[in-house]
Amino acid sequence: MATPLHARLSAELRERILRGDFRPGEPLPSEAQLREEFGTSRGTVRAALATLRHAGLIGGGQGRPPVVRDTTLSQPFENLMSFSSWAERAGRRPGQHTLEISRRAASAAAANALGIDAGATCVDYLRVRSLDDEPVMLERSTWILDVGRLLFDFDIDAGSVYGHLLDSGVDLQTARHTMDAVPADETDAAALGVEVGAPLLRERRVARASDGTAIEYGDDRYRSDRVTFTFDNSRPTSVGLAHDLRILKEPS
């Protein structure tokens, strides 16, 4: 099946932005100029621009010209469970390299999140995630033993961990994400190529089965100069605003 024209147009513009043809703060060519250059319709141009806007590469819209944003890649919050899918939709090449996978006693943080006894045997892995061969995130994941043991028969650098577990019949239903910032420790610094103490964006995750049983505790640390997160919200129809933001997402 041929790639849709708007996807080819957005890919071309994305490549120009990433190689610096359009600098942050500069406007893109107008819709009329893009229509003339690519010989396409207004709808196609607008669809391509919408793709770039969703990827966080441009701003503007609603009567304002599209302007190039900082090329730090922005990840929408709903995609936190699928690093590879998010990267591919943004036109980047995802990669991963596992540093360690082993059975070990659960850390205090993991035991608390999973609701198990401190020191209970779990399966941990430590994995570097990359975009276009550049390391951008260090993934720490702790699984309860009955689920984690399924990972020893699977190359976690060759496919989706969640996909493999779902195919194996694991009941992965929801996850809660917590965002904060932490300084890079020695392990983070060595894996991500930053200085010890450099600011990192941390996403902690507890994934659960449909009955509420905690299955996974994740601690993912992103280079803040390479990845940001976007949150879209709307004014609620009910009266009042919630002070506690709680997000439950189905894994992808």
Side-chain angles (χ1 to χ4, degrees):
M1 181 181 294
T3 303
L5 184 54
H6 73 84
R8 284 182 279 155
L9 175 54
S10 66
E12 170 63 25
L13 292 174
R14 180 186 297 109
E15 177 62 26
R16 294 184 188 182
I17 291 170
L18 294 177
R19 71 172 178 242
D21 292 358
F22 305 115
R23 307 297 298 175
E26 293 181 353
L28 288 181
S30 67
E31 288 185 8
Q33 290 171 319
L34 291 173
R35 288 168 57 196
E36 181 177 356
E37 177 181 355
F38 291 95
T40 189
S41 68
R42 175 182 295 177
T44 297
V45 168
R46 290 185 172 178
L49 294 176
T51 299
L52 297 177
R53 191 172 291 111
H54 183 71
L57 291 174
I58 64 172
Q62 297 196 5
R64 294 173 295 172
V67 174
V68 177
R69 301 178 62 182
D70 190 295
T71 51
T72 300
L73 194 58
S74 177
Q75 176 168 193
F77 202 71
E78 70 269 17
N79 293 337
L80 279 172
M81 299 295 285
S82 183
F83 179 95
S84 295
S85 295
W86 155 67
E88 289 167 354
R89 281 196 294 268
R92 307 293 288 273
R93 187 176 68 258
Q96 52 272 328
H97 172 62
T98 299
L99 302 177
E100 179 183 7
I101 180 170
S102 64
R103 289 181 175 87
R104 63 172 44 146
S107 67
N112 181 64
L114 294 171
I116 59 178
D117 294 334
T121 301
C122 291
V123 173
D124 279 1
Y125 65 74
L126 184 67
R127 185 165 63 157
V128 179
R129 309 302 298 269
S130 61
L131 295 172
D132 300 332
D133 297 323
E134 179 182 32
V136 298
M137 187 261 275
L138 185 61
E139 179 183 13
R140 294 171 170 87
S141 187
T142 299
W143 296 84
I144 61 172
L145 185 59
D146 285 348
V147 175
R149 63 181 175 78
L150 299 173
L151 299 177
F152 290 105
D153 298 324
F154 174 68
D155 181 358
I156 63 176
D157 287 344
S160 167
V161 167
Y162 281 96
H164 170 68
L165 294 176
L166 289 169
D167 289 343
S168 300
V170 175
D171 178 17
L172 274 165
Q173 187 65 31
T174 63
R176 173 169 292 174
H177 307 273
T178 303
M179 300 294 302
D180 62 3
V182 295
D185 62 23
E186 291 184 357
T187 300
D188 301 328
L192 298 176
V194 298
E195 298 291 333
V196 173
L200 302 176
L201 296 173
R202 179 172 65 171
E203 178 255 323
R204 286 173 291 171
R205 175 182 61 259
V206 179
R208 298 180 182 275
S210 56
D211 65 0
T213 301
I215 293 175
E216 181 215 12
Y217 171 67
D219 180 323
D220 299 344
R221 303 184 182 193
Y222 294 79
R223 287 185 55 166
S224 59
D225 60 340
R226 293 293 183 268
V227 176
T228 62
F229 292 92
T230 58
F231 299 81
D232 292 325
N233 65 339
S234 60
R235 188 170 181 268
T237 55
S238 60
V239 176
L241 295 174
H243 294 287
D244 182 23
L245 176 61
R246 298 181 179 180
I247 299 180
L248 298 177
K249 298 302 296 183
E250 181 176 352
S252 55

